[in-house]
Amino acid sequence: MVDTVGTSPTERPRRTRRTDALRRMVRETTLQVDDLIAPLFIAAGENIWRPISSMPGHYQRSLDHLDREIDELRELNIPAVLLFGIPATKDALGSSAWDSAGPVPQAIRRIKARAPELMVIADVCLCEYTDHGHCGVLTDDDPALITVDNDPTLELLGRAAVTYAEAGADIVAPSAMMDGQVAAIRTALDDAGLFDTPIMSYAAKYASAFYGPFREAAESTPQFGDRRAYQMDPANAREALREVAIDVAQGADMLMVKPAGAYLDIIRAVYERFDLPLAAYQVSGEYAMIKAAAANGWLDEQRTALESLIAIKRAGAKMIITYYAKDAARWLSR
Ligand code: PBG
């Protein structure tokens, strides 16, 4: 009923907002520490603990600086980490990606020995390992026509996934956006007897400017061109559902939408249509924006960060990969 001007409204939604207890009672979505996944950058070498300037509070760290971080994450009861590697050497194929002595396999073994209950997710991509910075191997065409060669990349992604799973990774998360990567990785894992390793697929991953700070963190900026021939066009929503359906058919166990904040509609659409556990990645640029505004005194960091996370949860993501994981865990426990 619409109330006429001057009379008392009959619909009074404010009645259930009056006190904190009432607001807690009617709250539809809650964020829990169980929802959080913390990304970590593992550098080859020793005694490296290098701040990432565009991501205050985050570091590239070598193995000898990992234990303290693991203990903190465990103390905060954060259930999972997502690992990225910064290898000692890069080449055209990205062969350090499947080197069992590389930074990520070593970190996996170290974490599983120290904190077996902490779930370790290994990102599976070649861009941190290739000298050209692309997510797969290149065609050897005319330089003007160079592209990432889809099918030869699949085998390499499979090798990398097996390497991480054999090192003890609990979950592998392919992020290269190659067609057929989930099937190729599933086959490679199964052939190696790794039947129980789930695949968290970066199913709808957009070619986003919000990845800027990450490329400093992971030293993975493409040396030429960009990723628009394999990552998705930010203008497309229906295409995301097609990407997700393909990954589900290929055996994905968990799905991911990335980035998160500018893609809440995509999270919601995937949530409504697919019943696999859903993750969203609040990426480096989303974190950097809040950090920068907070540093200027323009935004309240805690409130803005928690609001951004609850929005992602409300949209339908159960798991949230976020550089705010530790802060959010502290804020939530108060
Ligand atoms: C690897 C990968 C990227 C991110 C996660 N995995 C970079 C990219 O695709 O360029 C970005 C994460 C972030 O920005 O926090 N392909």
Side-chain angles (χ1 to χ4, degrees):
M1 278 294 273
V2 178
D3 298 288
T4 47
V5 176
T7 62
S8 172
T10 51
E11 293 277 359
R12 289 183 176 269
R14 287 182 53 185
R15 278 180 188 135
T16 52
R17 289 179 203 141
R18 207 168 43 80
T19 69
D20 187 54
L22 266 171
R23 290 191 292 272
R24 278 168 47 213
M25 289 168 67
V26 301
R27 186 158 295 144
E28 297 172 32
T29 310
T30 50
L31 185 68
Q32 300 173 281
V33 66
D34 296 355
D35 307 331
L36 306 171
I37 299 171
L40 293 177
F41 299 98
I42 315 294
E46 263 175 57
N47 202 21
I48 295 166
W49 193 65
R50 203 180 289 137
I52 300 160
S53 61
S54 52
M55 299 172 68
H58 286 272
Y59 301 84
Q60 295 180 338
R61 63 185 98 227
S62 49
L63 283 192
D64 47 324
H65 282 277
L66 188 56
D67 292 351
R68 192 163 35 118
E69 183 70 6
I70 296 313
D71 292 347
E72 260 185 60
L73 290 161
R74 168 194 239 177
E75 193 75 20
L76 291 165
N77 206 22
I78 290 173
V81 291
L82 173 62
L83 302 186
F84 296 98
I86 300 127
T89 56
K90 303 193 185 206
D91 59 24
L93 294 181
S95 50
S96 297
W98 56 88
D99 175 4
S100 62
V104 166
Q106 286 199 62
I108 295 168
R109 287 190 288 267
R110 191 161 182 132
I111 297 168
K112 294 315 292 185
R114 192 173 183 89
E117 76 290 354
L118 184 63
M119 292 295 99
V120 177
I121 309 171
D123 183 88
V124 180
C125 194
L126 301 185
C127 63
E128 300 123 77
Y129 303 95
T130 50
D131 50 15
H132 45 76
H134 278 286
C135 301
V137 295
L138 303 180
T139 53
D140 49 13
D141 294 347
D142 172 338
L145 301 170
I146 290 179
T147 52
V148 172
D149 207 351
N150 193 87
D151 296 12
T153 301
L154 297 178
E155 196 221 318
L156 308 183
L157 294 171
R159 273 196 228 173
V162 167
T163 305
Y164 307 146
E166 280 178 342
D170 298 287
I171 300 170
V172 292
S175 69
M177 286 300 278
M178 295 299 120
D179 291 336
Q181 64 183 11
V182 171
I185 289 172
R186 185 72 268 158
T187 303
L189 291 170
D190 290 352
D191 286 350
L194 297 158
F195 304 106
D196 289 331
T197 305
I199 299 175
M200 175 188 275
S201 169
Y202 285 71
K205 175 172 174 182
Y206 285 87
S208 174
F210 288 101
Y211 305 152
F214 175 93
R215 294 184 185 168
E216 178 203 338
E219 300 176 9
S220 64
T221 307
Q223 296 307 299
F224 65 90
D226 55 42
R227 304 206 203 289
R228 281 183 285 189
Y230 41 105
Q231 298 179 348
M232 285 182 56
D233 183 339
N236 294 352
R238 279 150 38 89
E239 189 186 348
L241 299 175
R242 181 161 170 246
E243 281 281 2
V244 170
I246 291 169
D247 285 9
V248 171
Q250 290 179 21
D253 300 281
M254 299 155 136
L255 302 169
M256 193 202 301
V257 172
K258 174 186 175 188
Y263 296 85
L264 297 177
D265 57 330
I266 309 299
I267 296 173
R268 170 52 50 166
V270 172
Y271 173 79
E272 280 173 356
R273 250 160 273 205
F274 299 91
D275 52 13
L276 294 182
L278 181 57
Y281 197 145
Q282 183 181 53
V283 301
S284 55
E286 299 179 70
Y287 174 79
M289 281 196 304
I290 300 174
K291 275 281 172 195
N296 274 301
W298 295 341
L299 286 174
D300 177 318
E301 183 175 24
Q302 175 174 338
R303 289 190 53 207
T304 310
L306 287 175
E307 184 176 330
S308 70
L309 295 172
I310 202 78
I312 295 165
K313 185 97 187 271
R314 190 193 66 232
K318 168 58 182 71
M319 297 165 277
I320 306 176
I321 301 161
T322 173
Y323 300 97
Y324 270 115
K326 285 203 298 180
D327 292 318
R330 284 190 203 101
W331 295 328
L332 292 171
S333 68
R334 266 185 220 144

